[in-house]
Amino acid sequence: MSRQKISIKTILFGSFIIILSILFAIILLFNNIYQENQMEIQRELILKNAVMHAYTLAEIKYDAVLNRDLDEEMAKEHVKEALLGEKLEDGTRTMDSNYSLGENGYFIIYSSEGEEIAHPRLEGQNVYNVTDSLDDSVYIVQEQIELAKNKGEGYYYYNWEYPNNPEKIGKKICYVKYFQPWDWVIVATTYEKDLKVYFEESKKSFLYTAILIVLIIIPLVSYIYKKITNPLFKLNRKMQHFSNNMEVPNIDCSTKIKEISEIESSFNNLSEELLAYIEELQGLNEEIENLNSENSAIIDKMNLLLDETSDILDFDNEKDFLKEVFDNLYSLIPEAYSGVLSVLEDGRVKYISSKNLDIEKLNALNLKTDEYITYNNVFTSKNTKTVKQDALSEEKNNSLNSLLSKKNESLYIPINGNNKQVGNLIFHTTGNDVFSKESFRIAVYYSKLISLFLKFEDMNEFQNNVQRQIIISLIKMMEYHDTYTKGHSQNVANLAEDFSRFLGYDKEFLNRIYWAGMVHDVGKIIIPQDILNKPGKLTYEEYELIKNHPVYSFEVLNEIDNLKDISYIVKHHHERIDGKGYPDNLKDKEIPIESKILCLVDTWDAMTRNRSYRKALSIDSAKKELIKNKNKQFDSKLVDYFLEYIKSNEPL
C-alpha cells in the first residue's frame, strides 16, 4: 500500500512538471504573437510611462519646495539631472539617466515660449520656430506646446535628422505633458526604429526571466508539497474518512508545523468524544427497542420519536433546534401540563419557549446566571428549586410561586454542551399526576440527543476554524518578515470591524472587513526585509516595489474560494478618491466601500504608531491629516463619521 502511494505522488509530481513545460511553451508562443501585435501600442506606452515618471518626479520635487525642504532652482536641477544627467561646462548633458528610450531617445523640457529648459545639447536656446525636417510648414515645438497646454498631454509624430548623421532623417514619436506649476512642457522622444530594437531585447529578457522562474518554481513546489501540502492533504483525508465512516483512520499526519499539529490534535480529541456519544446513542437506541417489544403503544411512540430525530438533526440554528425538541417532548410526555425552555446567555437566564406558563412574567424576573441553580442529570422531583432562595425580591418570589401554583412534580432536563450547561427544559404535572418511567426514558434520550447535536455544532465550528488558523499562521509568517506589521494587522482588523459596526453594517460585512484587515498586508512577505524595515526615506524605486504589495496579496487570496471577495477589498485598499492611488488608479465610486474603510483605518493606525523613520503623530495631528486629505485620499463622509467615532471613544 505504501509503494502505491509513493507511485501516485511521483506520477502527480511528474505530471505537474510536464504541464508546467507545456504551459511555458504556450506562454512563449503567445507572448511572441502578442508582442508582434501590440508593438505599436507598447512603443507609445514606453514614452507615456517615461513622461508620467518624469511628471511624478517633478511633483515630488515641487512638493519638497512647498515644504521648504529644497529651494526651487535646486529642485528643478534635480529633475533635469534625473532625466538627462549632469550639465557639463560646454552646456551639454551627460545623458546619464535612469530611463531607457532607445539608442537616440532622450527627454526635452520646453517653456511656453519655446525656450529649451532641458536638452542634451541645446539647453538655453529658443526653438519656438523649429520646423519638421521634411515639411517647413510644420512648427513642431509650437504644436507640441499647444498640444500639452490645451489637452494636458498626448502623442506627437514628426521627422527629424539623426544626431550623428544629419543627412539621415527618421520618423520620431514623442509624448508630451504639461506641468503647470513650473510652466514646463515635458517631452520624451525617440526614433521608431530604435524602439523596435528595444522590443527585441525585451523578448530575450522575457525568455531568460521565464526560464529562471521555472527553475525556481520546481524546487519551491517540491518543498511546499513535501513540507506543507502533504500533511494538510493527509489531515483532509483523515477528516473525510471520519465523516464518511464514523471511525478515525490510521493516517500519520505528523509534521513540524505547529499549527497543523494543533489542528490534528484538536480533531482527534473531538472525534473521540463524538464517537463516545455515538456509542451512547446506539446503546440508548437498543434500550428503546427493548422497551418497544413490551408495549405496542410504546413501539408506536418510539417509531415516531426516531422519525422526528432525523429531522431534528437537520437544524442549523441552536435555538430553533431546542424549541423543536421542547415541542416534541411536550407532545411525547402525556403527564406534562406545563413546561418552559430556558438558556443561559450573556450572564442572564432567558426563557425562549413555554407551555401554559406566562413567558413574559418569567423573563421579567431578570435572573442572573449565578442566581440560577443548575443540575447535570435528568431527574424528577416535587421540591427541587432552580432559583436561589435569596435571589428574588419578595414581589418577584410571589410572582414565581403564583406561576407554578398548579405544579405537582417537575421533570428536569439539562442542556449540556462543551462540558458546561447552556440551559434546561422543565416540565410540570398538575393535580396528583407524576411522570412515568417511559416519560423519564424519553427525557433521557432527548438529553443525549441534545448533547449530540451540540457536539455536531462543535465539529462544524472546528472545521471552520481550520481555515481561520491557516490564515492566522500566514499572518504570523508575515509578522516575522516585517517587524512593523506585528500588531498592525490585528489593530487594523479590530478598528475596521468596530468602525463598521459604528456605521451600522451587518454581521456578514463586519466579518468580511475584519478578515480583510487581518490579511491586507500579507503581500509584503514578497518585499525584501531591508526595504520594509528601512529606517530612512525610501528611494523612488523602493517605493514603487512596495506599491506592488496589494497585488501580491490579491493573487494569494484569490486562489482561496472562501477569500475571493476579501481579495478584491485588499487589492484596492491603497486606492484614492482622486484616482492617484494604486494599483489600478480607481476613483471614488469605483472603489469598494470596504476598501475605502480599510484605507482610512490603515492610515490612522500607521499615523498613530511609531515607525522606523518617525515617531507616532498625536491624535490631534492625525485628525488634521484626515481632514486635509478629504476628497483626495479619503472619502469625505467616511472621514466625518470616523472623527465622530474617534470622539465617541475618547476618554471623558
Side-chain angles (χ1 to χ4, degrees), residues 71-135:
D71 65 64
E72 186 167 337
E73 290 305 313
M74 183 179 294
K76 291 179 178 179
E77 188 59 28
H78 284 181
V79 177
K80 296 176 188 178
E81 289 181 356
L83 302 181
L84 295 165
E86 295 183 3
K87 188 174 183 180
L88 302 176
E89 292 182 359
D90 62 359
T92 64
R93 293 277 177 177
T94 64
M95 297 300 290
D96 183 17
S97 172
N98 295 327
Y99 303 91
S100 175
L101 296 175
E103 181 180 355
N104 297 297
Y106 50 85
F107 284 92
I108 306 173
I109 301 177
Y110 303 124
S111 69
S112 294
E113 289 73 34
E115 181 184 357
E116 294 278 11
I117 304 299
H119 191 279
R121 301 177 305 280
L122 306 176
E123 193 164 312
Q125 299 184 25
N126 191 292
V127 293
Y128 193 72
N129 294 318
V130 170
T131 62
D132 187 285
S133 294
L134 297 180
D135 188 349

Side-chain angles (χ1 to χ4, degrees), residues 1-2 4-6 8-9 12 225-226 228-254 260 263-264 267-268 271 459 462-463 466:
M1 192 65 179
S2 176
Q4 184 182 3
K5 288 184 178 179
I6 293 173
I8 291 173
K9 291 178 182 178
L12 288 175
Y225 183 84
K226 292 179 180 178
I228 299 177
T229 311
N230 198 29
L232 282 175
F233 283 164
K234 287 182 177 180
L235 181 56
N236 183 54
R237 291 202 306 272
K238 189 173 184 177
M239 295 174 69
Q240 287 181 343
H241 182 90
F242 177 79
S243 177
N244 295 332
N245 303 292
M246 281 301 169
E247 64 178 16
V248 181
N250 185 22
I251 298 178
D252 183 15
C253 304
S254 58
I260 297 178
I263 293 170
E264 182 190 14
F267 170 74
N268 289 337
S271 59
M459 183 67 178
F462 164 75
Q463 290 176 330
V466 170

Side-chain angles (χ1 to χ4, degrees), residues 513-531:
I513 201 166
Y514 172 83
W515 284 109
M518 285 292 287
V519 299
H520 76 283
D521 276 339
V522 72
K524 286 186 178 180
I525 199 169
I526 307 298
I527 311 299
Q529 282 183 305
D530 57 343
I531 296 178

Side-chain angles (χ1 to χ4, degrees), residues 61-76:
K61 296 301 180 181
Y62 180 70
D63 289 342
V65 173
L66 296 181
N67 294 330
R68 300 182 180 180
D69 295 331
L70 289 172
D71 65 64
E72 186 167 337
E73 290 305 313
M74 183 179 294
K76 291 179 178 179

Side-chain angles (χ1 to χ4, degrees), residues 401-414:
N401 291 333
S402 175
L403 288 170
L404 303 177
S405 61
K406 294 183 179 181
K407 83 173 183 70
N408 178 43
E409 186 175 54
S410 300
L411 173 59
Y412 184 94
I413 306 171

